[in-house]
Amino acid sequence: MSEQIFNKINTLLSQNDAKFKVIDHEPANTSEAVAKARGTIMGQGAKALVCVIKGIDPKILAAYKNETPSQTSSNSLLKSSKHYVLAVLPADYKANLEAITHEFHGTKTSLASPAEVSELTDCVIGSVPPFSFHDRLELIVDSKLFERFEEIAFNAGLLDRSIVLNAKDYERIVKPRLVNFATA
């Protein structure tokens, strides 16, 4: 869906001297199938899930958005009662949404709707890369992504194009908030 997102990632990685390669492949519907198409191991996959956290205290929500409560009008608090995160984890793990809820002191976390995913990422589900280019989408990464492989692999905004990237370069460039939410 998004050649533009692919180009942003390619430019960002090139400007930051990252070690990466682009792989064109047939579109695949599962993490296992795309790993096979890329010629990588499933655990190298950086699965990116857009999640919605509800029930966060407005003062805590303002802190996550680097605002003071006085900067946040009651109107914007009502509109922003949902907090969106791009949760990145190894593709062979599952996301524990309760752990994300707990980390953000919310009441419930769920996966975003396809319309929300499209709005926040300019991508269709399955092609979302582990990068956030939207100010309403906070990036969180489970540390397990950096523990097993020197390289990570991910769809780069398109279902038929992936990037294999040095994991340390990814961490250095995006400086993610680390949250333990992946379970085997």
Side-chain angles (χ1 to χ4, degrees):
M1 175 176 174
S2 187
E3 189 77 32
Q4 180 182 1
I5 293 299
F6 170 78
N7 290 335
K8 279 185 180 181
I9 295 168
N10 198 13
T11 299
L12 178 66
L13 297 178
S14 295
Q15 288 175 342
N16 284 281
D17 298 319
K19 297 175 192 156
F20 72 100
K21 63 184 172 186
V22 175
I23 299 172
D24 291 316
H25 54 79
E26 290 297 318
N29 293 332
T30 65
S31 296
E32 189 173 24
V34 77
K36 187 174 181 179
R38 290 181 192 130
T40 59
I41 297 168
M42 192 165 132
Q44 287 179 272
K47 180 167 45 177
L49 304 173
V50 179
C51 299
V52 185
I53 307 166
K54 296 178 183 171
I56 300 175
D57 180 284
K59 291 176 186 172
I60 294 171
L61 189 59
Y64 289 136
K65 295 180 177 187
N66 294 319
E67 300 172 347
T68 62
S70 62
Q71 289 176 308
T72 308
S73 72
S74 59
N75 220 9
S76 71
L77 283 177
L78 291 174
K79 290 180 183 174
S80 65
S81 62
K82 294 179 181 178
H83 184 67
Y84 293 94
V85 295
L86 182 64
V88 180
L89 66 158
D92 58 346
Y93 280 72
K94 293 180 180 165
N96 177 344
L97 299 182
E98 288 180 24
I100 295 172
T101 303
H102 184 271
E103 175 72 20
F104 285 87
H105 306 284
T107 56
K108 182 179 181 179
T109 300
S110 59
L111 295 178
S113 70
E116 289 169 313
V117 171
S118 179
E119 178 186 338
L120 294 167
T121 67
D122 190 33
C123 298
V124 297
I125 293 173
S127 70
V128 177
F131 294 84
S132 175
F133 297 107
H134 196 290
D135 61 353
R136 288 188 59 210
L137 186 61
E138 180 180 354
L139 177 67
I140 64 171
V141 178
D142 191 286
S143 60
K144 292 173 191 69
L145 187 68
F146 305 114
E147 295 170 357
R148 299 184 296 160
F149 301 98
E150 288 184 22
E151 294 179 321
I152 61 171
F154 53 89
N155 280 28
L158 301 160
L159 291 170
D160 61 354
R161 194 169 307 155
S162 292
I163 290 178
V164 176
L165 169 65
N166 178 279
K168 288 181 182 176
D169 285 341
Y170 171 70
E171 187 174 19
R172 172 180 56 85
I173 293 166
V174 301
K175 298 174 184 66
R177 175 177 178 169
L178 296 177
V179 176
N180 293 320
F181 65 91
T183 58

